[in-house]
Amino acid sequence: MKIIITENYDELSQKAFEVMKDVVTSNENAVLGLATGSSPLGLYANMISDHKENKTSYKNVTTFNLDEYVGLDKNHSETYYTFMHKNLFDSLDITESNVHIPLGNGDLESNCADYEKQMADYQLDVQLLGIGSNGHIGFNEPGTSFDSLTHVVELKESTRLDNARFFEPLNEQVPTHACTMGIKTIMNSKKVLVVASGANKADAVYAMVKGEVSEDCPASVLQNHSDVILICDKAAASKL
Ligand code: GLP
C-alpha cells in the first residue's frame, strides 16, 4: 500500500485529484468507481475546476458508484444519486447513460444482481473509497464477507449516527438499510484510491493499514490488493 500523508484536507484533495486526473487523461474511456461522503468533496471540486479550466473531458468516462440508501425517493436530497449529481456529474460533460448508481428502491435483490451484471462488462480502472469510522468501505459493515458482491446491508448504529448530520436538518432518520457494492466487487478494481481525513478516522486508518486482515475491519482487506494508494491528512494518520 502506498501511503501519502498530507498536512491538511486541501493537500489531500489535490493529491487525490492528481491520481484521478492521471487515470482519466491516460484513457478517455476510463471506468471510475466513485464514492460519497464528505471525504471526496475536495477531490470532486478539483475535478470540476480542472474540467472548466483545462477542458478535461468525461464524455466517454463510465462511472459506478459504491452504494445507495434503501427506501428514499431517487430525488430525495440525501440520496447518493442526488449527492453525485449535485457535487460532480452536473458540472462535468459526462454522458448520463454512462453513470451507474445502485438503486435503493423496488426489487432490491434483483437490482443488486443487475448492478453486478452491468459491472461485469467493465473493469474499474480506479475505485475511490472513503472509510467509515468503524472501518467500513462502501456500506460493507464489519462482519461482511470478503467474498461479497453487490448486496443489501443493515447499517450499524454507529454508521447511522455518523451520517445523522445530513438528515437532522430535514427532521428525518438515517435509513436503516443500503445497497452496496460488495468487498469482492471493490477488490476487482485495478487500482484503489482511499481518502481519509480527520482524527475520527485515525483508528480505522490504523486498522486498515496495520491491523490484522479480518472481516472485523472491512478496509483491512485492502492489504491484499496490489495497487492501493491511501491519501490521508496528519490527523487521520496520527495512529500509524
Ligand atoms: C458513508 C459512505 C461511505 C463513506 C463513509 C465515510 O457511510 N457509505 O462510502 O466512505 O461513510 O464518509 P465520510 O467521508 O463522510 O466520513
Side-chain angles (χ1 to χ4, degrees):
M1 192 180 296
K2 181 174 174 194
I3 302 175
I4 299 172
I5 299 172
T6 66
E7 278 303 310
N8 53 41
Y9 181 70
D10 283 351
E11 193 189 341
L12 174 159
S13 301
Q14 177 57 31
K15 297 268 181 225
F17 165 68
E18 285 162 19
V19 174
M20 200 53 96
K21 172 137 180 171
D22 188 50
V23 173
V24 294
T25 51
S26 57
N27 175 10
E28 64 161 343
N29 297 307
V31 186
L32 310 179
L34 297 177
T36 55
S38 306
S39 309
L41 284 174
L43 160 63
Y44 292 162
N46 288 338
M47 289 165 72
I48 292 168
S49 305
D50 170 65
H51 167 67
K52 292 205 167 112
E53 284 161 27
N54 304 314
K55 309 276 172 271
T56 303
S57 179
Y58 290 80
K59 211 169 174 26
N60 298 316
V61 166
T62 297
T63 65
F64 286 91
N65 259 78
L66 279 170
D67 47 16
E68 180 60 282
Y69 288 118
V70 164
L72 299 181
D73 183 76
K74 193 171 163 183
N75 292 311
H76 185 286
S77 62
E78 294 310 321
T79 59
Y80 288 163
Y81 174 88
T82 300
F83 176 100
M84 289 306 302
H85 283 81
K86 187 170 97 184
N87 293 302
L88 188 66
F89 299 142
D90 287 351
S91 304
L92 300 178
D93 61 343
I94 196 155
T95 307
E96 181 64 27
S97 55
N98 291 349
V99 166
H100 304 85
I101 301 174
L103 274 177
N105 283 303
D107 181 342
L108 300 175
E109 295 301 327
S110 120
N111 293 349
C112 291
D114 280 354
Y115 204 64
E116 282 293 326
K117 263 195 225 138
Q118 292 173 56
M119 289 192 73
D121 293 337
Y122 301 87
Q123 188 185 16
L124 299 179
D125 292 301
V126 63
Q127 174 64 60
L128 172 65
L129 296 177
I131 181 169
S133 59
N134 65 1
H136 74 235
I137 49 176
F139 266 134
N140 293 287
E141 297 281 29
T144 306
S145 164
F146 285 172
D147 284 329
S148 53
L149 300 174
T150 302
H151 63 293
V152 180
V153 290
E154 182 172 5
L155 300 177
K156 298 272 187 210
E157 214 38 49
S158 63
T159 299
R160 296 185 66 228
L161 273 175
D162 282 348
N163 290 352
R165 66 191 190 277
F166 300 111
F167 288 85
E168 268 155 12
L170 307 170
N171 269 327
E172 288 180 29
Q173 301 288 316
V174 179
T176 55
H177 291 75
C179 294
T180 182
M181 272 187 207
I183 292 181
K184 192 170 177 186
T185 326
I186 292 169
M187 290 291 278
N188 280 337
S189 179
K190 285 186 207 161
K191 180 191 284 295
V192 178
L193 170 61
V194 190
V195 286
S197 166
N200 66 323
K201 299 294 173 70
D203 287 327
V205 166
Y206 179 87
M208 166 172 57
V209 176
K210 297 211 164 150
E212 186 196 341
V213 177
S214 150
E215 290 173 359
D216 293 342
C217 175
S220 68
V221 76
L222 298 174
Q223 292 179 34
N224 294 338
H225 193 289
S226 59
D227 187 2
V228 177
I229 305 178
L230 163 64
I231 307 178
C232 53
D233 60 18
K234 279 200 312 202
S238 58
K239 299 205 169 158
L240 290 181

